[in-house]
Amino acid sequence: VSPLIRKLECGAPLSDLDRAAIARAVADRRQAGPREDLIRQGDRPHAMHGVLSGIACRYKTLPEGERQIVGLMVPGDFCDVHFHILGTVDHSIATIGACEIALVPRHAIDRLISEHPSVARAMWWASLVDEATLREWLLSMGQRSAIQRMAHLFCELRLRMKLVGLAEDDTFDFPLTQAELSDVLGLSSVHANRTLQELRGADLITLRNNRLQIHDPAALQELAEFDPAYLHLESRQLA
Amino acid sequence: VSPLIRKLECGAPLSDLDRAAIARAVADRRQAGPREDLIRQGDRPHAMHGVLSGIACRYKTLPEGERQIVGLMVPGDFCDVHFHILGTVDHSIATIGACEIALVPRHAIDRLISEHPSVARAMWWASLVDEATLREWLLSMGQRSAIQRMAHLFCELRLRMKLVGLAEDDTFDFPLTQAELSDVLGLSSVHANRTLQELRGADLITLRNNRLQIHDPAALQELAEFDPAYLHLESRQLA
DNA sequence: CGTTTGATTGACACGAGTCAACACCAGTGG
DNA sequence: CCACTGGTGTTGACTCGTGTCAATCAAACG
């Protein structure tokens, strides 16, 4: 099954008809290379993007070039459910590694939403979870130490990947370079490197060949003071 | 006019009928004292809150008690347009100083939205602006220095207050204590104090008796690297 | 092969946190 | 009227987490 459907099913129960309609809407796909901008700040996007494989990110930059990644999209996530309301976009969206992207034209979204209320509700749920995640990241950034932030991110990604069936054995693809990881966490890349080594040294994780393995999820969650409530999973797919 | 109507008008043009419907929906008011929790993490709120006067905040806390304020609501802002989709709430909402709060029962929201599409669109616009603001705060937290963060916050509040007509002469109510300000910015209260004094020393602002005056908005914006694009104001009410 | 990109390490600097003391109120109650 | 209080703001001294700069190393790649 498409991860997009899997993800939406977490937000609302879907009928076979709903699922079929989603499948039709996301039939148009394209491959995107690594580090490719999908949407640039100021654009007026005409289609919605959904991530089928790989990881994409939202980011904002400052005049001097400092970059902050303000969101990660894993398979199953939509990038821009609602941009047409705001006219222009206030941030950019780019792939991290290579990605497969579903393109949903505006009229297809509109039809999907108006004809399938459950799907509309599920997409609404997903965007509220995104917003809650943003708040949790802000909490992290403001109050957690570097190592806690990093641990917290890994805990979050573990659950999000698990949700779409991509985290067997607490191991999943993690295509971010350390520089990108530091842009997510608001650290310098040097410090990100040292923090990563601390986590490795404590035998909590292994990161090799763009695969991240979490050895002891419970210990990592305790270190991070991770509480999954903000993901609103309701135990539908946890473990 | 109610600040709630003023704010919504920025998101979509409203007819007299729309305005009257909003006015009816927000007719039920209550006074809230300072530092009063309106919604607690885990609650299932049954009514929507709108701020009529004063300032309220969203916040999250860590087990050890560290608090991060993840949003400020000024007059005209709704606190929880959409909570019913998610069941429980993942953060708390509290007043800062004394506030006047409009309470809108669930059924009134539903009716407002279904019978007045322009209002629905405006509320949607408002919640997308909230989300964009969250992203900007995350950028601030990750990449801007303490003094830039503080300057940026003041620039943002100036525009948001102006939007609802509450920032004559670039001066507006600012009821936050320094401790609360530090919870917004992710600083210690000592450092917040010193940063504030730096801004005062540079003759950029005056903060006295819970009133904030911005002497030189342009200079403050330059210091903060403030770009108002994320507020999506479209020059409807700027100056 | 050289070239490039990403990871790693060390030395050092600096922004921000911590702790503790003190000042300045606005209430409050004796 | 005046001590006493508790909350808030202010200051200094010191610590420590993170950033910066620069060199080196490893792996990928044309």
Side-chain angles (χ1 to χ4, degrees):
Chain A
V1 239
S2 159
L4 293 168
I5 293 177
R6 267 186 101 141
K7 173 78 182 267
L8 287 175
E9 284 195 293
C10 300
L14 301 180
S15 69
D16 287 343
L17 272 174
D18 292 331
R19 275 188 285 269
I22 300 172
R24 261 194 318 272
V26 302
D28 182 16
R29 286 143 190 242
R30 76 170 254 250
Q31 295 297 134
R35 242 153 284 197
E36 194 175 306
D37 273 346
L38 301 177
I39 293 175
R40 285 219 187 72
Q41 188 164 352
D43 280 2
R44 298 179 160 271
H46 50 287
M48 182 171 72
H49 298 73
V51 179
L52 293 164
S53 74
I55 294 186
C57 69
R58 294 174 206 283
Y59 66 91
K60 305 193 73 161
T61 51
L62 253 22
E64 319 288 316
E66 302 96 326
R67 182 169 84 139
Q68 177 66 43
I69 292 179
V70 296
L72 289 176
M73 280 80 74
V74 304
D77 290 334
F78 288 102
C79 301
D80 41 18
V81 191
H82 39 235
F83 284 177
H84 54 287
I85 295 278
L86 283 183
T88 68
V89 180
D90 53 72
H91 61 278
S92 304
I93 295 184
T95 60
I96 297 279
C99 289
E100 193 176 2
I101 303 292
L103 290 168
V104 191
R106 173 89 59 88
H107 64 84
I109 314 171
D110 292 344
R111 244 186 62 195
L112 193 60
I113 287 185
S114 59
E115 294 176 9
H116 298 269
S118 297
V119 178
R121 194 182 172 86
M123 294 184 67
W124 199 2
W125 170 84
S127 84
L128 291 178
V129 171
D130 286 350
E131 197 180 322
T133 303
L134 215 38
R135 282 190 291 267
E136 187 69 28
W137 282 29
L138 192 60
L139 170 63
S140 257
M141 205 68 109
Q143 304 298 335
R144 284 190 252 251
S145 65
I147 193 167
Q148 282 186 307
R149 284 215 286 282
M150 191 176 286
H152 194 277
L153 176 69
F154 293 164
C155 290
E156 176 186 311
L157 287 177
R158 183 181 81 98
L159 290 189
R160 288 172 62 186
M161 292 302 262
K162 211 165 196 147
L163 204 66
V164 287
L166 294 172
E168 287 287 308
D169 294 326
D170 298 321
T171 305
F172 52 89
D173 287 331
F174 189 80
L176 304 224
T177 65
Q178 291 187 5
E180 288 161 338
L181 181 57
S182 70
D183 284 345
V184 172
L185 300 174
L187 298 172
S188 68
S189 63
V190 171
H191 203 67
N193 177 290
R194 295 192 165 121
T195 305
L196 201 46
Q197 290 182 49
E198 249 191 282
L199 288 177
R200 288 201 256 244
D203 210 30
L204 289 166
I205 61 153
T206 305
L207 174 53
R208 231 177 34 218
N209 297 123
N210 291 339
R211 295 276 295 171
L212 178 65
Q213 174 167 25
I214 294 173
H215 300 137
D216 187 343
L220 198 65
Q221 293 194 12
E222 196 188 328
L223 168 62
E225 310 196 61
F226 179 81
D227 174 355
Y230 71 99
L231 293 171
H232 293 275
L233 300 180
E234 338 227 318
S235 76
R236 241 185 292 262
Q237 186 125 355
L238 296 180
Chain B
V1 239
S2 159
L4 293 167
I5 293 178
R6 267 186 101 140
K7 173 79 183 264
L8 288 175
E9 283 196 294
C10 301
L14 301 180
S15 68
D16 286 344
L17 271 174
D18 293 331
R19 275 188 284 268
I22 299 172
R24 262 193 318 269
V26 302
D28 183 15
R29 287 141 189 243
R30 78 170 254 249
Q31 295 297 135
R35 243 153 280 203
E36 194 175 304
D37 273 345
L38 300 177
I39 292 174
R40 285 221 186 70
Q41 188 165 352
D43 280 2
R44 298 178 160 273
H46 52 287
M48 184 171 71
H49 297 72
V51 179
L52 293 163
S53 74
I55 295 188
C57 69
R58 297 172 203 284
Y59 67 90
K60 305 193 71 161
T61 51
L62 253 21
E64 319 289 316
E66 302 96 328
R67 180 168 87 136
Q68 178 65 43
I69 291 179
V70 296
L72 289 177
M73 279 82 75
V74 304
D77 291 334
F78 288 102
C79 300
D80 40 18
V81 191
H82 38 235
F83 283 177
H84 54 287
I85 295 278
L86 284 181
T88 67
V89 180
D90 53 73
H91 62 278
S92 304
I93 295 183
T95 59
I96 297 280
C99 289
E100 192 177 2
I101 302 291
L103 290 168
V104 191
R106 172 88 57 87
H107 64 85
I109 313 171
D110 292 343
R111 245 187 60 195
L112 194 59
I113 286 184
S114 59
E115 294 176 8
H116 298 269
S118 298
V119 178
R121 194 181 172 86
M123 293 184 68
W124 199 1
W125 169 84
S127 85
L128 291 178
V129 170
D130 286 351
E131 198 180 321
T133 303
L134 216 38
R135 282 189 292 266
E136 187 70 28
W137 282 30
L138 193 60
L139 169 63
S140 257
M141 205 69 111
Q143 305 297 336
R144 283 190 252 252
S145 64
I147 192 168
Q148 282 185 307
R149 284 214 286 282
M150 191 176 285
H152 194 277
L153 175 69
F154 292 164
C155 290
E156 177 185 310
L157 287 178
R158 184 182 80 98
L159 290 188
R160 289 172 62 187
M161 293 301 263
K162 211 163 196 148
L163 204 66
V164 287
L166 294 172
E168 286 286 307
D169 293 325
D170 298 321
T171 305
F172 50 90
D173 286 332
F174 188 79
L176 306 224
T177 65
Q178 291 187 5
E180 287 160 340
L181 181 56
S182 71
D183 285 344
V184 171
L185 300 174
L187 298 171
S188 68
S189 63
V190 172
H191 203 67
N193 177 292
R194 293 188 166 127
T195 305
L196 201 46
Q197 291 183 48
E198 249 190 281
L199 288 177
R200 289 201 256 242
D203 209 29
L204 289 166
I205 61 154
T206 305
L207 174 52
R208 228 176 40 214
N209 296 126
N210 291 339
R211 294 277 296 172
L212 178 65
Q213 173 168 23
I214 295 174
H215 300 137
D216 187 344
L220 198 66
Q221 293 194 11
E222 195 188 329
L223 168 62
E225 311 195 53
F226 179 81
D227 174 355
Y230 70 99
L231 293 172
H232 294 276
L233 300 181
E234 337 226 320
S235 73
R236 239 185 293 261
Q237 186 124 357
L238 297 181

